[in-house]
């Protein structure tokens, strides 16, 4: 499980998610975005919300929990 801090122009949000087992799994997903295989980071948070984030428009901090 990781906690993501997402900072955008419209505000800041924290999400805890089991979509990414650990920080390494999140980094692999970001690498797929950088390589052009994906355009968005998608995950479900701990209360069941489906979140879609464009990493081009924000800063995302990831920490293992």
């Amino acid at each position: 499980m990781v906690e993501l801090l997402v900072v955008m122009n419209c505000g800041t949000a924290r999400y805890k998610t089991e979509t990414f087992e650990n920080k390494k799994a999140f980094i692999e997903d970001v690498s797929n975005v950088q390589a052009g295989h994906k355009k968005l980071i998608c995950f479900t948070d701990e209360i069941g919300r489906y979140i879609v984030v464009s990493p081009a428009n924000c800063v995302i901090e990831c920490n293992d929990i």
Side-chain angles (χ1 to χ4, degrees):
M1 176 183 265
V2 297
E3 180 179 55
L4 301 174
L5 173 65
V6 180
V7 181
M8 301 177 94
N9 288 339
C10 59
T12 301
R14 286 189 186 273
Y15 303 103
K16 291 180 181 177
T17 180
E18 292 181 349
T19 301
F20 306 108
E21 183 177 319
N22 53 32
K23 189 175 180 177
K24 182 181 176 184
F26 176 75
I27 291 170
E28 288 173 8
D29 207 44
V30 172
S31 295
N32 283 328
V33 172
Q34 290 175 324
H37 303 296
K38 293 177 61 175
K39 293 186 181 187
L40 302 169
I41 303 287
C42 304
F43 59 93
T44 302
D45 72 356
E46 69 180 349
I47 60 173
R49 297 179 292 184
Y50 186 70
I51 311 293
V52 179
V53 179
S54 170
N57 298 328
C58 64
V59 174
I60 304 171
E61 180 181 297
C62 178
N63 292 304
D64 286 318
I65 298 179

